[in-house]
């Protein structure tokens, strides 16, 4: 295996292990205004952590009817690009909600100016299907990464302690 592939796999595994500190992530959005959608992401951590930045990568999504060369009709899913919002100097505090708001362009006119005339199907609407949230240290070192559907409340199960018990219940009371 190539060193770059090994590093990527290790980085992904470390990211999964470090992402266990999340308790809950809630994602909501407002109706589109001026060709953009306002997203609110609420993060509830299990411990206090500081990051150089938190990165929110929004996958732009289109679904439209399509007919292939053999005449078969189906709904084509098209996710050509992602929109990235970066929040610098983020601090997440144990058991306190942290809120992040950002606008994502979804109008064809805005997207054509940014990504060109042929990147998106001009006959179909654009939405955000999922959001990947990453904690960064330094310029681009990813400490953890988690991907969620773009709407709803997402609860993250507490990691298990080494003895197989849930960490939240693994703490023993002192004898009386």
């Amino acid at each position: 295996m190539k060193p770059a592939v090994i590093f990527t796999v290790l980085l992904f595994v470390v990211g999964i292990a470090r992402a266990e500190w999340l308790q809950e992530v809630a994602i909501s959005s407002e109706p589109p205004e001026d060709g953009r959608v306002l997203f609110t992401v609420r993060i509830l951590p299990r411990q206090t952590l500081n990051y150089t930045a938190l990165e929110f990568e929004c996958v732009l999504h289109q679904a439209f009817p399509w007919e292939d060369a053999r005449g078969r009709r189906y709904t084509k899913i098209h996710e050509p690009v992602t929109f990235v919002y970066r929040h610098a100097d983020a601090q997440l505090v144990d058991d306190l909600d942290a809120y992040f708001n950002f606008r994502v362009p979804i109008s064809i006119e805005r997207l054509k100016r940014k990504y060109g005339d042929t990147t998106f199907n001009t006959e179909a609407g654009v939405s955000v299907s999922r959001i990947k949230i990453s904690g960064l240290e330094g310029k681009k070192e990813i400490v953890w990464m988690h991907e969620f559907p773009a709407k709803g409340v997402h609860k993250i199960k507490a990691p298990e302690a080494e003895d197989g018990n849930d960490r939240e219940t693994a703490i023993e009371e002192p004898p009386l």
Side-chain angles (χ1 to χ4, degrees), residues 64-173:
F64 48 89
W66 188 259
E67 184 175 330
D68 66 11
R70 294 183 179 163
R72 294 180 292 201
R73 295 174 185 254
Y74 60 93
T75 300
K76 184 173 184 173
I77 304 298
H78 184 56
E79 296 179 335
V81 297
T82 58
F83 172 83
V84 177
Y85 168 75
R86 184 173 284 179
H87 183 87
D89 297 323
Q91 180 182 31
L92 301 175
V93 179
D94 180 27
D95 276 339
L96 290 179
D97 291 330
Y99 287 88
F100 302 92
N101 297 300
F102 52 91
R103 295 186 190 280
V104 179
I106 61 162
S107 73
I108 294 295
E109 296 79 31
R110 284 183 179 273
L111 295 170
K112 281 171 62 174
R113 282 195 303 264
K114 184 166 183 152
Y115 300 108
D117 292 339
T118 59
T119 303
F120 289 90
N121 180 340
T122 57
E123 304 298 318
V126 178
S127 63
V128 176
S129 62
R130 56 194 186 280
I131 298 176
K132 184 186 330 180
I133 305 171
S134 304
L136 305 176
E137 287 183 6
K139 293 213 177 210
K140 291 196 176 196
E141 180 185 344
I142 298 174
V143 178
W144 59 269
M145 181 184 330
H146 228 301
E147 189 168 353
F148 302 99
K151 290 191 184 207
V153 176
H154 312 286
K155 296 194 182 283
I156 293 89
K157 184 179 173 183
E160 293 184 7
E162 290 182 22
D163 61 0
N165 294 327
D166 189 280
R167 282 191 186 169
E168 292 178 356
T169 60
I171 300 171
E172 294 182 22
E173 294 293 323

Side-chain angles (χ1 to χ4, degrees), residues 7-22 25 27 43 49 51 53-59 82 84 86 92 130-137 140-149 156:
F7 177 73
T8 303
V9 170
L10 287 175
L11 184 62
F12 183 70
V13 171
V14 168
I16 290 172
R18 294 281 306 266
E20 295 172 340
W21 60 269
L22 289 174
V25 173
I27 302 171
I43 299 175
L49 297 166
Y51 297 100
L54 284 181
E55 188 173 271
F56 300 86
E57 185 176 353
C58 304
V59 178
T82 58
V84 177
R86 184 173 284 179
L92 301 175
R130 56 194 186 280
I131 298 176
K132 184 186 330 180
I133 305 171
S134 304
L136 305 176
E137 287 183 6
K140 291 196 176 196
E141 180 185 344
I142 298 174
V143 178
W144 59 269
M145 181 184 330
H146 228 301
E147 189 168 353
F148 302 99
I156 293 89

Side-chain angles (χ1 to χ4, degrees), residues 37-64:
V37 173
L38 174 66
F39 276 91
T40 300
V41 177
R42 179 180 55 81
I43 299 175
L44 178 61
R46 282 192 171 87
Q47 64 188 39
T48 300
L49 297 166
N50 293 307
Y51 297 100
T52 304
L54 284 181
E55 188 173 271
F56 300 86
E57 185 176 353
C58 304
V59 178
L60 299 180
H61 173 92
Q62 288 187 299
F64 48 89

